[in-house]
Amino acid sequence: MARTEIRISTLLLAGTAAIAVPAAAQDSAPRDSDDIIVTAQRQEQRLQDVPVSVTAFGADQLRDNSIETVQDIAIRTPGLAISAVDPVNTNFSMRGIGSAPGISQNAGGDPSVVVFVDGVYAGRGGTPDLDALDLERIEVLRGPQGTLFGKNAIGGLVQFVSRKPTDEESFHFEGTYGNYDRIGVTARGNMALTDTIYFSAGVSHKQRDGFEYNETTGHRVNDLNLTTGRAALRFVPNDTLDIILRADISHQDQKGNPRHNNCDSSFQDGIHCVGINPDPRVVNAYIDGEIKRTIQTYSGEVNIDLPFGTLTSLTALRKVKFNFVTPFFSNPINPPAQIESTSFGEENNSQFSQELRLAFDAWDGRLKGQTGVYFLKENNDRIEGQIQDFPTPEGSGTGIYPQSVNARSFAIFGQVDVEIVPSLTATVGARMTWERKSGRFAGYKADDGPGLPPPLGSLDGYDVTGKKSWKAFTPRFALNWKATDDVLLYASVARGYKSGGFQGLSGTAAGASTPYDPEFAWGYEIGAKTDWLDRRLRLNVAAFRTDYSDLQISQLVPLCCVVVSNAAKARIKGIEVEAVVRPVDGLQIDGSYSWLDTKFIEYAIPGTDYTGNQLPRSPRNKFNIGGQFERPIGDLTAKLRVDYSWVDDAYFEASNIPQQLWPAHENVDARLSLSNPDDGWELSLWGKNLTNELTPTYVTWFSAYRQLLTPYAPPRTYGATVAFSF
């Protein structure tokens, strides 16, 4: 099936390209107005002029594709995969490299794929739904990114760029109603307070009933209740000074996400499976659980034009408070055979960052570059607990694991582009990073029962401290050749780095106080960005190889814990293709394909050798294809958009066992809109996951009781949205 669908998508793209030949002869309208301007290299450039692998989504595309979550971005971006242990804690994997929950969500861990919101590093707590952010665009950069951005990114980065306040007065309102009683309201506006001061603000609220039903409590779970507010004040007193103050707050308060239990009824005569509903959208957890999250971000950006360049200062304070209660086993109350495992905790994170950078050019534009310094101070207090209730005292009880980590990161970075001869440019960049982490870690039994809850190693528990410093030098070298106005060829070599950390949820004092090492990567890439047929056909191709050492891997040990270790070596290679075709006016067909080959060259833990296994969350094949047709109907404009995506098999864990397979899955989205641009209104009907595909977002395998516990991605959703702008 995979091969067949890949062939079909390839034939569709090729066939559309063939149609484009006569169409281009009939209408040669330039397509420059459709180009997205990005800042992937810290300067405004056409997407096609950026010699790196980047996928960008403009505001119109975000709307037309019904993109509202990072998962929507992932299915449309080659090389990007996103899993989730719950609806708000997502885990990115870029070209096979990502941080599993046991790393990115413990107090001492960092993500491999970094998220920026208006230049501010979003290290903890994730991001709210994207349609609440008033975005101008989203940029996804693949491969190591360290020479231009404040926080080093070993796998890649995703940056969200919001609209800046301007002197134009505007107002936008939209309301949404959908199945599962979804209600959404968004209002935002922009105005000039004076000739030099501009203000924009917005608020968004969305809610819906849960996707699953908990038979034990009688409640719907995995629901949504999210409110977001944003404000920005911009001061432009003259042509050389631009100051932007931003603030955004989002609050989420909803029921939890209990796991569906795929119970093995042949084990112990099915005694642990009594009463479990086989319907995957029905759970039998003894409680609903909860998810509460508040994110606050305050930033100030100052841009000063100097005779020799532009000086930018970005100061930011970000705070995240997160509470969760997750019942893992969905078993009805059935003593004495009842099995329950509950994870709970809270996290308070605060981070302060300061970035100062200078953009310059000389020699009549033949020399361009950026240089800067970056400082990050992060304090993270996390309390994590596990309640284990099993038929026997062994392994039962409640364990509490407080973690408090202070992290500091300082870096000097820079990159220059030198025009060797006209159309041939060499790039040299480097970054020197110094990082330090220190923390206090404890583990103790919190109940009076006879059992010892895993992963706690003794009844005495532990209370220890640990600290560690690291430093890294990460260079980048590249060449790009602008062969014609419509053909760009490039090659690059870059080294990536991710900080080490601490285990967090450990069973012993030694495990808690002993840090795991940083990981490093050398990434090699060649690529081409091309436009053909008077820019009616766009074809971008990239081939890459990545050599990793000390790769950080999180491995689940059933009924125990998550163990973080450093894989000795891993090798990744792949090819990515993106295409856009406009055969006639009003019709666009676009798509992407990625082939990914990942392998552990050396990786062994005591008693187990994973050498040769596939890296987690690394589908070998992935493609998407979308079609968009727009035509006038009198004074109105109708637009239809349909997107199809398919993702190959992958694994959630490095063990590659069948029970933790991320099976191949597909997705179909569609949107039909009718608008009057002159009067500023639009009515749209939309649907997502129209085939109602049942796709796990994570799998937990408890081999001792042969229980397979799975949260699932949203089912089929649909609704209508009305929007007004003036």
Side-chain angles (χ1 to χ4, degrees):
M1 178 180 176
R3 294 190 184 96
T4 300
E5 291 182 291
I6 291 168
R7 292 192 190 103
I8 291 173
S9 65
T10 305
L11 289 171
L12 284 172
L13 290 173
T16 311
I19 296 173
V21 176
Q26 296 172 7
D27 187 344
S28 58
R31 295 293 167 176
D32 292 345
S33 60
D34 295 328
D35 286 330
I36 297 177
I37 302 300
V38 298
T39 53
Q41 295 197 116
R42 293 294 199 184
Q43 57 179 311
E44 292 189 351
Q45 295 174 287
R46 289 177 60 246
L47 180 62
Q48 288 299 95
D49 293 334
V50 180
V52 296
S53 291
V54 54
T55 299
F57 301 87
D60 291 344
Q61 189 175 0
L62 294 173
R63 180 194 65 239
D64 294 341
N65 290 47
S66 299
I67 294 175
E68 58 180 338
T69 67
V70 290
Q71 285 87 350
D72 295 332
I73 292 293
I75 63 177
R76 294 165 172 85
T77 302
L80 177 61
I82 295 180
S83 61
V85 295
D86 60 53
V88 300
N89 277 314
T90 51
N91 295 97
F92 295 78
S93 178
M94 194 88 77
R95 292 179 171 176
I97 297 303
S99 296
I103 299 175
S104 62
Q105 289 157 26
N106 73 52
D110 287 340
S112 297
V113 178
V114 174
V115 174
F116 290 94
V117 180
D118 289 325
V120 178
Y121 169 58
R124 310 289 299 190
T127 59
D129 284 0
L130 307 181
D131 58 346
L133 293 176
D134 189 17
L135 292 171
E136 180 180 287
R137 66 183 181 276
I138 297 174
E139 301 173 13
V140 183
L141 283 70
R142 298 183 289 278
Q145 308 291 327
T147 60
L148 287 175
F149 291 85
K151 183 66 174 175
N152 199 13
I154 190 170
L157 64 86
V158 181
Q159 63 172 342
F160 305 111
V161 182
S162 65
R163 293 180 177 89
K164 295 179 180 179
T166 67
D167 59 353
E168 295 183 6
E169 186 172 301
S170 64
F171 179 77
H172 177 83
F173 171 84
E174 65 181 53
T176 295
Y177 183 78
N179 61 334
Y180 295 95
D181 282 335
R182 171 173 170 172
I183 298 174
V185 178
T186 299
R188 58 178 178 262
N190 181 94
M191 64 183 300
L193 301 180
T194 70
D195 290 342
T196 59
I197 300 176
Y198 319 132
F199 177 73
S200 67
V203 63
S204 172
H205 176 76
K206 54 173 55 178
Q207 64 184 52
R208 60 162 170 76
D209 292 341
F211 290 141
E212 284 82 45
Y213 176 71
N214 190 348
E215 282 189 325
T216 306
T217 65
H219 299 148
R220 298 204 69 85
V221 292
N222 193 11
D223 59 335
L224 177 65
N225 184 15
L226 170 66
T227 302
T228 300
R230 292 176 57 84
L233 186 68
R234 186 179 183 188
F235 178 45
V236 189
N238 51 54
D239 293 337
T240 61
L241 180 62
D242 190 343
I243 301 173
I244 305 176
L245 303 178
R246 297 183 177 96
D248 65 77
I249 301 175
S250 65
H251 179 68
Q252 200 161 354
D253 186 354
Q254 58 200 53
K255 290 183 172 62
N257 184 208
R259 286 15 180 177
H260 173 64
N261 193 341
N262 294 282
C263 190
D264 184 355
S265 60
S266 66
F267 178 67
Q268 295 184 350
D269 297 325
I271 190 173
H272 304 298
C273 304
V274 175
I276 292 179
N277 194 314
D279 186 337
R281 295 295 182 183
V282 176
V283 298
N284 303 93
Y286 73 108
I287 57 173
D288 295 324
E290 68 174 20
I291 295 174
K292 296 181 179 180
R293 178 180 62 164
T294 301
I295 302 175
Q296 304 175 64
T297 305
Y298 310 95
S299 67
E301 179 181 343
V302 180
N303 294 281
I304 306 174
D305 287 339
L306 303 172
F308 49 85
T310 300
L311 182 66
T312 299
S313 171
L314 180 59
T315 308
L317 175 66
R318 190 173 191 267
K319 296 183 177 181
V320 178
K321 185 174 182 180
F322 178 50
N323 299 73
F324 66 96
V325 178
T326 303
F328 273 85
F329 282 105
S330 294
N331 287 67
I333 304 299
N334 184 32
Q338 177 185 353
I339 302 173
E340 296 295 344
S341 177
T342 306
S343 177
F344 64 92
E346 65 178 55
E347 180 173 296
N348 286 279
N349 175 269
S350 65
Q351 69 171 58
F352 169 81
S353 62
Q354 174 63 55
E355 183 175 352
L356 191 67
R357 64 179 185 271
L358 175 67
F360 57 88
D361 67 69
W363 301 345
D364 296 326
R366 291 174 53 207
L367 174 67
K368 295 181 179 181
Q370 302 255 350
T371 184
V373 295
Y374 179 79
F375 173 74
L376 173 68
K377 176 184 177 182
E378 186 175 14
N379 299 320
N380 193 28
D381 295 321
R382 181 181 178 95
I383 298 177
E384 194 166 355
Q386 299 253 2
I387 303 173
Q388 309 281 24
D389 187 1
F390 298 142
T392 60
E394 292 79 11
S396 297
T398 301
I400 305 291
Y401 305 89
Q403 310 161 39
S404 181
V405 175
N406 298 319
R408 304 290 185 273
S409 178
F410 177 75
I412 302 173
F413 59 92
Q415 179 173 296
V416 294
D417 298 325
V418 182
E419 185 181 75
I420 302 173
V421 296
S423 76
L424 180 63
T425 301
T427 300
V428 179
R431 175 191 183 94
M432 188 68 204
T433 305
W434 296 267
E435 294 189 311
R436 176 174 61 87
K437 291 182 180 179
S438 62
R440 182 178 179 181
F441 311 93
Y444 60 90
K445 180 177 166 61
D447 65 286
D448 298 327
L452 184 64
L456 198 61
S458 69
L459 292 173
D460 295 333
Y462 60 87
D463 189 341
V464 296
T465 60
K467 62 180 179 179
K468 184 71 173 180
S469 298
W470 302 277
K471 61 182 179 180
F473 178 70
T474 50
R476 179 176 186 262
F477 309 96
L479 279 174
N480 72 84
W481 177 37
K482 192 72 172 177
T484 70
D485 289 341
D486 294 326
V487 176
L488 173 69
L489 306 176
Y490 67 90
S492 68
V493 179
R495 192 185 193 213
Y497 157 84
K498 188 179 79 169
S499 173
F502 290 90
Q503 176 68 45
L505 188 65
S506 176
T508 64
S513 60
T514 303
Y516 51 85
D517 294 329
E519 61 181 24
F520 294 88
W522 279 103
Y524 311 89
E525 180 174 333
I526 58 173
K529 295 191 172 184
T530 66
D531 285 311
W532 306 92
L533 306 174
D534 198 29
R535 298 190 176 180
R536 288 188 175 273
L537 169 62
R538 173 164 294 176
L539 184 64
N540 297 340
V541 182
F544 60 89
R545 176 188 171 103
T546 307
D547 294 327
Y548 273 81
S549 61
D550 293 323
L551 181 60
Q552 297 168 5
I553 294 295
S554 172
Q555 183 61 39
L556 175 68
V557 178
L559 297 180
C560 172
C561 51
V562 174
V563 176
V564 180
S565 59
N566 292 92
K569 291 182 180 179
R571 187 268 299 142
I572 299 171
K573 56 185 178 180
I575 298 173
E576 297 165 348
V577 181
E578 295 180 285
V580 180
V581 184
R582 299 182 181 93
V584 294
D585 283 350
L587 175 62
Q588 173 179 305
I589 299 176
D590 49 68
S592 68
Y593 168 74
S594 61
W595 172 78
L596 188 61
D597 181 19
T598 68
K599 182 185 295 186
F600 288 109
I601 303 302
E602 297 177 8
Y603 181 28
I605 59 177
T608 307
D609 188 353
Y610 293 138
T611 300
N613 280 12
Q614 180 178 314
L615 269 65
R617 293 164 293 162
S618 303
R620 191 173 183 85
N621 296 286
K622 175 185 177 183
F623 77 88
N624 73 279
I625 186 168
Q628 181 172 300
F629 182 66
E630 181 178 359
R631 65 169 299 172
I633 303 178
D635 294 333
L636 305 180
T637 299
K639 183 184 293 186
L640 173 64
R641 172 85 195 187
V642 180
D643 288 277
Y644 175 83
S645 66
W646 182 87
V647 182
D648 210 343
D649 287 342
Y651 293 95
F652 288 109
E653 300 287 345
S655 59
N656 287 191
I657 60 175
Q659 292 84 355
Q660 289 185 317
L661 177 72
W662 194 0
H665 52 278
E666 63 182 1
N667 184 80
V668 178
D669 295 342
R671 184 178 186 269
L672 175 64
S673 66
L674 187 67
S675 64
N676 186 328
D678 295 334
D679 293 338
W681 63 264
E682 181 188 67
L683 173 64
S684 61
L685 304 176
W686 50 266
K688 306 180 74 170
N689 188 15
L690 291 176
T691 58
N692 204 27
E693 184 89 350
L694 185 68
T695 305
T697 61
Y698 196 74
V699 170
T700 303
W701 168 240
F702 280 78
S703 59
Y705 294 98
R706 297 186 188 175
Q707 313 271 326
L708 197 64
L709 313 173
T710 310
Y712 293 102
R716 180 191 297 115
T717 56
Y718 50 86
T721 299
V722 59
F724 299 93
S725 298
F726 55 87

